[in-house]
Amino acid sequence: MGDSRKADYEYEMAATTDPEKGGDPEKGADGEWGGQMQQEPDAEWTGLGKEELLKVANTPAWNWSRNILLILFWVAWVAMLVAAIVIVVKVPRCPEVEWWEKSAIYQVFPRSFRDSNGDGYGDIKGITQNLDYLESIGVKVLYLNSIFEQPKETSDIGYDIVNFTNVDPLLGNLADFDQLVSALQEKEMKLILEFVPNHSSDKHPWFNESRKGVDNAYSDYYIWANGTGSTGRDPPNGWKNKYGDSAWEYVAERGQFYYHYFLASQPDLNYYSESLNATMLKAMDFWLDRKIDGFVFTNVEYLAEPQLYKNVVVDAAAGGRRRRQAEGTAAPAEPTAAVAAVTPTQAPTEAPAAPATTAAVAVPGEGEQTAAQPAAEPTKAPEPSPEPEPSPSSAPELAGGDSDPYYKMGDEAMARNEMLAKILKGWRSLLNSQSYLGKYRLMVTQSVFDLDTVIMQYGKNSSYLADYPLNLGLVEVLDGSQLNGEKIMKAVDDFINAKNSAGAKGRWNTWALGSNDIKRVASRVGESYAQALNMLLYTLPGTPISYYGEELGVEDIEIGSFDDVVDPVARKFSAKWMDLTRDPERAPLAWNDAEHGNFTKGNSTWLPVPNTKKYSIAVQKDDESSTLNQFSVLTKYHSKPSIVAGEFIKVLTSDKLISYIRAYPEWPSYLVAMNVGTDEVIANYHTANDVHVPAMGTVIVSNGGKKDELSMDGLKLAPGEAVLVEFPAA
């Protein structure tokens, strides 16, 4: 709205000033020369002048309004400041833990998770297509057993490797693997791979070259020694392999024996060779460039082989160099123990190729110490690497007659561990170099459980080796005999105390109940105790590592004879070497109660699927009290501050009873209590001892049907019953 005379005024001005309308532009509206145009101001176009504003500003009403608004502003500002201080001071602070400390690890034997193409074998696509299941049960870190390429007729599924940088065709291909990595990243889940560093298949191209003699680049990739006796056909010494037979196998082509701790088809790799070290580092780098989150290095206790000890008598490769020089031929260049960081130009090949230029991560030398380094900013986007290439080196030759296996040599054990530490330092250095902001590369080691050897893998003082070793101490006491609470808690105490005594206090623990090489825990201790032991696993201080199927309480399958095995390769195994005693814990998962458990759409499976409906994922999902649903709750509560990083306080322990508190300041605390005996136990936790346990708590998980509020006085637990009880923050 404006001046009502605006339109008339504009018309009048147009009439008196526009020549075309009879007006004179130099005359005013009144027709006189030099006349002034008079226009009343439009109220819509004008505002208060300076003097008027000053008058309004000094009115009492405006002064009060301005002062009130100013006061309200400062009151609000002070209130927000006080609230921020209260939040910082009063709200409980979460513990600072890494993803590999707070997240449970779920181990999968790839052949047995899910078959995507109907051939009866689980595969990588089957895992990718069923990540929703893992997400639903709280899995954050997926750990895959060996996926590396095998010969068509393998003698040891997953561990008879002919290519360290390719996927076994039975499981898929590298494109399938990359899709799995991408799918896991979308779900913010991590992937770690089992890496098998101790040996390869005797069908590996490296071994095919190495067996030809000492004058090629692969001659020292394996452990070779001259034979004894008048013909040189007797083993170099009396060392035995894992199965009690000679650890030496003769190769007429080379005229020497090679060493194998496992099967004769699995020659041990020689980590005293800098060339071999460099090649294996490049193989690891290949998978790191495919954006995995780390490795589990298995059988590391067998890496430091015998040539370090008193049996060393000849340097065979050095002799080979002297022979070449005498003949006027050039000796190969000395190796650089390093790992290449290169962009691939071709797919990995099986055949050996010429040495490639290497740089970046050196294998540590004598006396070298590698401390843990903070993750660095990435300098490049990780890209897949080509097949590792070798470089030449020297290999010692052994002889001697020590009848004890090298890993029992007593005085030499320390030297073996020192060599092992040097190998692990090289791997640690590689993983550090490939860690960057938001992408830490985890290093886990696994060995047969020997407390000193396991603790040594943490590293000492400034030497940081594994982030953590796999601790199988619980497996040792869950041996199939009746459970004993005192023995179980002693295994927990022994590991923690040994770690602290070795200078690794503050380093993270791990716990496991089984693996792909160990009978399933439900078969060892009884199905009724499986749920209780899952609670133990997920509430001890450290990272739990679950083997697939433990979330269902699965027992070993029964394999009565070779005829029960569909896999034609498995049926060819020698009864002496592979009598299938390790396969019952590798049975395929049952996804529902249909034929073959819906593991496959085909007509057969490589091993029988458990035919008991109670082990079906679909059946257990519908049962609130099932092992599966309780497992899902345990994975959720494992990440609670009190459980993931709180104090571990024992309450009551006996041969029948295990109980402890997990507590972190200003957060709810938890009591874990379980009856591992064969009779009912009644105990008073509220007045048990000096440990303060509130009189009442809230049941979080109970495999005995307990719900809601629970009194801590006179608590009854049936055999195999366990409870997880929450108390409010103090």
Side-chain angles (χ1 to χ4, degrees):
M1 297 177 61
D3 193 331
S4 60
R5 296 166 295 167
K6 179 178 178 181
D8 295 336
Y9 175 78
E10 290 178 342
Y11 176 83
E12 183 180 343
M13 287 297 298
T16 56
T17 59
D18 189 342
E20 294 181 4
K21 296 181 180 181
D24 192 326
E26 295 185 6
K27 291 185 179 181
D30 57 359
E32 297 294 327
W33 295 97
Q36 300 296 319
M37 294 184 293
Q38 301 294 324
Q39 176 181 359
E40 290 187 20
D42 190 339
E44 188 175 80
W45 301 340
T46 60
L48 295 175
K50 179 179 179 181
E51 293 181 359
E52 292 173 309
L53 283 173
L54 290 175
K55 289 179 180 180
V56 173
N58 289 327
T59 61
W62 171 248
N63 284 336
W64 276 107
S65 299
R66 180 177 58 190
N67 291 338
I68 289 172
L69 291 173
L70 185 62
I71 291 170
L72 289 175
F73 169 79
W74 283 109
V75 168
W77 188 89
V78 171
M80 288 189 292
L81 178 62
V82 171
I85 294 173
V86 169
I87 290 173
V88 171
V89 173
K90 295 294 185 181
V91 173
R93 283 170 283 186
C94 292
E96 295 182 3
V97 289
E98 302 292 342
W99 62 262
W100 44 273
E101 295 171 329
K102 68 181 179 181
S103 300
I105 295 176
Y106 184 85
Q107 179 183 359
V108 165
F109 193 72
R111 281 195 183 203
S112 298
F113 190 72
R114 195 74 181 264
D115 172 24
S116 69
N117 58 11
D119 65 356
Y121 297 88
D123 47 43
I124 290 175
K125 279 188 176 180
I127 298 172
T128 305
Q129 293 168 1
N130 291 278
L131 292 182
D132 286 347
Y133 166 68
L134 297 183
E135 188 176 43
S136 72
I137 62 174
V139 172
K140 295 295 184 183
V141 183
L142 176 62
Y143 159 27
L144 292 185
N145 283 122
S146 174
I147 62 170
F148 305 126
E149 184 176 351
Q150 311 284 295
K152 289 184 178 179
E153 293 190 2
T154 178
S155 57
D156 189 5
I157 297 168
Y159 302 94
D160 211 14
I161 298 168
V162 296
N163 192 336
F164 285 92
T165 56
N166 197 20
V167 173
D168 185 52
L170 214 69
L171 301 178
N173 53 43
L174 288 171
D176 296 335
F177 179 83
D178 292 340
Q179 290 174 3
L180 171 62
V181 172
S182 297
L184 287 166
Q185 289 177 336
E186 289 179 4
K187 292 184 175 294
E188 297 183 344
M189 295 167 68
K190 307 292 184 181
L191 175 64
I192 57 177
L193 294 183
E194 178 182 25
F195 194 89
V196 185
N198 180 71
H199 54 266
S200 76
S201 169
D202 62 352
K203 297 178 177 62
H204 196 294
W206 300 344
F207 188 78
N208 291 336
E209 293 297 310
S210 188
R211 66 187 297 153
K212 294 177 181 178
V214 298
D215 293 327
N216 65 51
Y218 299 88
S219 63
D220 69 336
Y221 270 41
Y222 300 87
I223 299 165
W224 294 95
N226 290 331
T228 59
S230 58
T231 63
R233 295 294 185 95
D234 294 328
N237 55 39
W239 289 338
K240 304 298 183 183
N241 67 8
K242 180 179 180 180
Y243 309 101
D245 292 330
S246 175
W248 299 98
E249 191 78 9
Y250 185 71
V251 174
E253 183 178 8
R254 178 160 172 155
Q256 287 184 308
F257 286 81
Y258 66 85
Y259 176 83
H260 59 92
Y261 179 69
F262 294 99
L263 300 177
S265 61
Q266 297 170 319
D268 279 37
L269 294 165
N270 175 23
Y271 281 88
Y272 291 84
S273 162
E274 291 185 351
S275 178
L276 184 278
N277 265 292
T279 303
M280 295 303 283
L281 283 168
K282 291 168 67 177
M284 298 169 198
D285 201 38
F286 174 87
W287 297 104
L288 294 172
D289 281 352
R290 300 193 102 86
K291 300 182 180 179
I292 69 167
D293 296 283
F295 291 110
V296 176
F297 296 106
T298 56
N299 298 130
V300 297
E301 75 271 37
Y302 305 125
L303 299 179
E305 299 292 2
Q307 59 265 54
L308 184 65
Y309 309 137
K310 57 189 176 185
N311 302 57
V312 179
V313 294
V314 177
D315 184 337
R321 285 198 299 273
R322 286 193 294 272
R323 286 194 299 275
R324 286 191 296 273
Q325 291 169 357
E327 295 167 0
T329 57
E334 290 298 323
T336 301
V339 60
V342 294
T343 302
T345 57
Q346 61 184 19
T349 60
E350 297 182 19
T357 303
T358 60
V361 182
V363 175
E366 290 289 345
E368 184 174 320
Q369 300 238 332
T370 306
Q373 300 293 328
E377 291 282 355
T379 57
K380 65 181 179 68
E383 299 176 356
S385 299
E387 172 78 9
E389 308 297 345
S391 57
S393 182
S394 60
E397 181 177 347
L398 302 183
D402 197 320
S403 62
D404 291 331
Y406 75 92
Y407 59 90
K408 294 182 179 177
M409 282 187 176
D411 291 344
E412 284 79 7
M414 184 60 70
R416 177 173 64 89
N417 280 352
E418 288 175 357
M419 181 59 189
L420 174 57
K422 290 168 63 176
I423 297 168
L424 297 182
K425 286 176 187 176
W427 300 350
R428 174 81 268 165
S429 180
L430 169 65
L431 292 169
N432 283 346
S433 73
Q434 284 282 40
S435 294
Y436 50 88
L437 188 62
K439 191 71 172 179
Y440 182 76
R441 310 303 183 116
L442 179 68
M443 177 172 168
V444 185
T445 53
Q446 180 270 332
S447 60
V448 171
F449 185 75
D450 170 76
L451 193 53
D452 291 338
T453 301
V454 170
I455 297 299
M456 165 260 163
Q457 294 160 28
Y458 281 108
K460 288 185 177 181
N461 304 321
S462 61
S463 177
Y464 187 105
L465 301 179
D467 290 298
Y468 41 58
L470 290 185
N471 169 22
L472 300 178
L474 287 177
V475 173
E476 294 289 301
V477 297
L478 305 177
D479 57 2
S481 59
Q482 176 57 47
L483 295 181
N484 184 293
E486 291 178 340
K487 288 183 178 180
I488 292 173
M489 295 310 292
K490 184 178 184 300
V492 173
D493 290 340
D494 285 350
F495 185 84
I496 294 174
N497 292 337
K499 186 187 67 173
N500 295 347
S501 298
K505 186 176 183 178
R507 301 290 298 281
W508 215 248
N509 309 315
T510 63
W511 312 97
L513 301 176
S515 76
N516 58 303
D517 285 326
I518 301 170
K519 287 175 63 69
R520 287 193 175 275
V521 64
S523 293
R524 280 180 283 132
V525 302
E527 180 184 357
S528 61
Y529 296 94
Q531 289 182 336
L533 291 176
N534 274 341
M535 188 179 297
L536 177 77
L537 182 69
Y538 275 80
T539 56
L540 286 174
T543 295
I545 301 171
S546 290
Y547 183 53
Y548 82 102
E550 287 178 358
E551 76 274 20
L552 301 166
V554 170
E555 296 178 305
D556 291 343
I557 58 170
E558 293 184 6
I559 302 178
S561 69
F562 285 96
D563 294 335
D564 294 332
V565 181
V566 174
D567 184 359
V569 174
R571 292 178 64 173
K572 293 181 180 180
F573 289 167
S574 162
K576 178 179 180 181
W577 293 115
M578 303 298 292
D579 61 1
L580 300 180
T581 57
R582 64 190 303 184
D583 277 342
E585 64 270 10
R586 300 178 177 185
L589 277 182
W591 291 81
N592 60 31
D593 55 0
E595 186 179 12
H596 303 307
N598 200 29
F599 167 78
T600 181
K601 300 298 184 183
N603 297 321
S604 63
T605 57
W606 80 280
L607 283 178
V609 177
N611 57 12
T612 305
K613 291 183 178 181
K614 64 183 177 182
Y615 295 143
S616 157
I617 291 171
V619 169
Q620 290 206 18
K621 273 190 173 181
D622 293 334
D623 180 2
E624 184 180 349
S625 64
S626 69
T627 304
L628 178 63
N629 283 318
Q630 293 191 10
F631 181 92
S632 301
V633 177
L634 290 171
T635 59
K636 174 183 176 181
Y637 273 79
H638 169 73
S639 61
K640 300 292 184 181
S642 289
I643 295 178
V644 76
E647 287 187 88
F648 174 68
I649 309 165
K650 287 185 286 186
V651 182
L652 293 175
T653 301
S654 68
D655 59 342
K656 299 178 181 179
L657 192 62
I658 294 173
S659 61
Y660 49 87
I661 289 282
R662 302 302 313 281
Y664 193 82
E666 301 177 329
W667 286 89
S669 59
Y670 299 88
L671 170 74
V672 177
M674 63 186 67
N675 179 358
V676 296
T678 56
D679 300 312
E680 183 181 76
V681 174
I682 302 175
N684 294 320
Y685 294 92
H686 178 43
T687 57
N689 51 30
D690 293 337
V691 178
H692 175 67
V693 177
M696 298 293 294
T698 302
V699 175
I700 302 300
V701 179
S702 168
N703 65 347
K706 293 180 172 60
K707 296 181 179 181
D708 305 324
E709 295 298 307
L710 187 64
S711 171
M712 295 295 99
D713 291 312
L715 177 60
K716 294 181 181 180
L717 295 175
E721 185 177 0
V723 291
L724 175 64
V725 181
E726 182 181 75
F727 306 111

